[in-house]
Amino acid sequence: MTDLSALADDISSCTRCPLHRGRIHAVPGDGQSGATIMLVGEAPGREEDRQGRPFVGKAGRILDEALHAAALKREELYITNVVKCRPPGNRNPRQEEVEACLPYLESQINLIRPRILCTLGRVATEEIFPRYGLQPVPLARIHGTAYEVRDTPGVIVPVYHPAATIYNPALAEVFMADIKKIARLSEDLR
Ligand code: URA
């Protein structure tokens, strides 16, 4: 089996879908190969495309604050996205782009073998849930719930996307509470 850095090289030179044409950098993901917690967002934005790293723009700052409040160290997690290249104008990724890119996420999950997989936002939740036989009913109902699945990862927890708290500040506390819940879950696994 390939390792994470070889996989990152494959992602960086990927031409499986048209998104590669507009990218500055592909954004494979960041973090520990043996991470207990894996966070999966939607797709890189402008700043992520510039830097080649996930969640380094405005949404990333919100995520960092929540991780800090939950005493989680970003470098101990693994953070990635469903789609590894920025969709133009930050539109939602198209289904064919998701399908082309998902094998990379599957390989990352198999290599990292996280115990907790956290889907950040509706797009990641809707793409990942059905693959584990779960129903991605509205996030408003299921956010913060730990769904047990067979094998890896073990537990899937959907949460709001950090950017959702920009448009709806009332979600900031909810998002923070859900990230703290994930921190407690990972403590329980130690
Ligand atoms: N939003 C995402 O979903 N992913 C990123 O990496 C940045 C913003």
Side-chain angles (χ1 to χ4, degrees):
M1 201 198 280
T2 175
D3 65 14
L4 269 185
S5 72
L7 188 60
D9 290 344
D10 287 350
I11 294 169
S12 296
S13 57
C14 179
T15 56
R16 287 186 196 172
C17 88
L19 292 182
H20 77 275
R21 294 202 194 100
R23 75 179 173 224
I24 301 172
H25 293 106
V27 181
D30 242 10
Q32 287 291 329
S33 61
T36 302
I37 303 172
M38 182 167 180
L39 306 182
V40 183
E42 177 178 327
R46 182 189 299 275
E47 200 50 40
E48 289 78 19
D49 179 50
R50 279 201 186 123
Q51 296 190 34
R53 298 186 54 214
F55 285 98
V56 287
K58 207 166 177 183
R61 284 195 287 283
I62 296 167
L63 177 62
D64 285 347
E65 272 173 36
L67 295 177
H68 181 74
L72 286 172
K73 293 200 174 72
R74 184 179 165 122
E75 59 277 11
E76 289 177 4
L77 319 176
Y78 194 85
I79 307 181
T80 188
N81 286 298
V82 170
V83 165
K84 315 299 192 202
C85 294
R86 182 188 182 213
N90 295 346
R91 65 159 168 75
N92 284 354
R94 298 195 170 124
Q95 203 51 43
E96 60 272 23
E97 294 159 354
V98 170
E99 297 299 334
C101 215
L102 265 177
Y104 292 128
L105 179 63
E106 282 163 5
S107 298
Q108 288 172 321
I109 292 170
N110 290 333
L111 284 166
I112 294 161
R113 303 188 69 76
R115 307 281 297 279
I116 301 168
L117 191 152
C118 168
T119 56
L120 295 167
R122 185 184 60 78
V123 170
T125 304
E126 286 183 354
E127 294 302 340
I128 290 170
F129 261 45
R131 287 169 166 84
Y132 291 92
L134 297 170
Q135 273 265 326
V137 288
L139 259 188
R141 269 181 38 209
I142 63 174
H143 72 85
T145 307
Y147 290 88
E148 288 195 15
V149 295
R150 266 183 281 121
D151 304 329
T152 309
V155 177
I156 302 186
V157 187
V159 305
Y160 282 104
H161 194 284
T165 70
I166 301 170
Y167 308 110
N168 183 352
L171 291 182
E173 267 182 45
V174 177
F175 177 68
M176 188 86 84
D178 286 348
I179 295 291
K180 285 184 177 166
K181 188 165 179 184
I182 288 166
R184 282 198 301 277
L185 275 176
S186 77
E187 275 297 309
D188 292 347
L189 290 175
R190 274 172 206 266

